[in-house]
Amino acid sequence: MTNIVLFGKPGAGKGTQAEFLKEKYKLTHISTGDVFRFNLKNDTELGKQARVFMDAGDLVPDELTTKMLIDEVNKHPEANGILFDGYPRTLSQAVALDGFLTSIGSKVAATIALEAEDELLVQRLLERGKTSGRIDDQDEEKIRNRYQEYNEKTAPLMDYYQAQGKFFAVNGIGTIAEITQRVSAVIDNL
Ligand SMILES: Nc1ncnc2c1ncn2[C@@H]1O[C@H](COP(=O)(O)OP(=O)(O)O)[C@@H](O)[C@H]1O
């Protein structure tokens, strides 16, 4: 199983790249943001619990997120490999993911970060907010809060994966195809 973690700030293009990479490498794409939004839309119990955090641009608590993630992975026992998009976002989630993958005889092969500056990303999100209907993309203050969450809770994961020799950063600015190319070069070298 080749499990890849796609890493990057909000708006870095993880979801866009995932669409191409999952086809190219026959991976199962799990986006925690998409799963949460599906639950919000369908007003499930999980959706009810996650809504207040998501709408404010806060991270959903680890326990809830990790349980949901493990349930998602378990839905795909036949997977060739999983493309994790939006998980892990905290150290506790990264440790939980390692523990879970070890328990099923697997591991994270690489964490690939899409890099771009905050100012460019905030503009991208505001643009996306005009059409996506996502409440968390429509208000600059909520967007800034997501960056604060990222800087405080998610950025430390770079060191975590670097210490395991699994962290790769690629330039996230360019055409979609150029960036797919850069990420592919990392995967092809694993
Ligand atoms: N791993 C996670 N841990 C906690 N909350 C999460 C996680 N993944 C997604 N969420 C919640 O869903 C929201 C949207 O996720 P996503 O679409 O991946 O965001 P973004 O576009 O900001 O990268 C996050 O702001 C957060 O509230």
Side-chain angles (χ1 to χ4, degrees), residues 17-88:
Q17 289 303 321
E19 290 304 313
F20 292 94
L21 296 167
K22 72 174 187 194
E23 293 299 329
K24 186 162 179 188
Y25 295 98
K26 306 284 171 247
L27 300 171
T28 296
H29 174 210
I30 298 181
S31 157
T32 44
D34 286 351
V35 178
F36 278 135
R37 279 186 288 278
F38 176 85
N39 280 278
L40 246 58
K41 206 167 117 216
N42 292 287
D43 213 21
T44 65
E45 196 45 46
L46 175 66
K48 288 191 180 97
Q49 289 174 303
R51 186 183 299 277
V52 344
F53 300 101
M54 290 183 71
D55 284 354
D58 290 336
L59 291 181
V60 176
D62 285 334
E63 203 185 328
L64 202 60
T65 306
T66 295
K67 186 183 171 312
M68 184 267 287
L69 188 273
I70 292 175
D71 286 348
E72 280 305 307
V73 176
N74 283 335
K75 284 181 193 165
H76 302 280
E78 78 303 338
N80 225 348
I82 305 222
L83 187 56
F84 293 98
D85 164 3
Y87 190 98

Side-chain angles (χ1 to χ4, degrees), residues 10 14 32 37 54 58 60 86 89 93 128 134 146:
K14 301 183 292 290
T32 44
R37 279 186 288 278
M54 290 183 71
D58 290 336
V60 176
R89 267 184 155 114
Q93 292 180 13
R128 179 169 85 183
R134 280 181 57 168
R146 279 150 70 197

